[in-house]
Amino acid sequence: MFGFAKKLAGEAEQQAQSAAQVAANEVSQTVQQVVDQAKDAGQKAIDQVCKAAEAGEEAVKNVANQATSWGKSFGQ
């Protein structure tokens, strides 16, 4: 009788460990997905900032070129 109870207890322990491992794996996968999403969002934000900076640089060049053109026109 005690052997049977001990066997059941051992099986229950193994099942609990397996369930805990499955839960831990699922949590790990969820955390990894969140990390990946955060990285993607961060990269998109960086890309947008770079595009805005490039647009700003282009605008500055255009204004400088226009100012130069006006200066030449007034100088003539």
Side-chain angles (χ1 to χ4, degrees), residues 8-40:
L8 283 179
E11 289 176 4
E13 182 181 356
Q14 286 178 343
Q15 288 179 355
Q17 288 173 347
S18 293
Q21 185 61 51
V22 167
N25 289 344
E26 289 176 358
V27 168
S28 177
Q29 289 174 352
T30 301
V31 168
Q32 186 59 49
Q33 289 172 349
V34 169
V35 169
D36 290 344
Q37 289 172 353
K39 284 181 182 178
D40 289 345

Side-chain angles (χ1 to χ4, degrees), residues 44-58:
K44 287 179 183 176
I46 289 170
D47 291 346
Q48 289 176 346
V49 168
C50 289
K51 285 180 185 177
E54 289 171 3
E57 289 175 12
E58 190 63 31

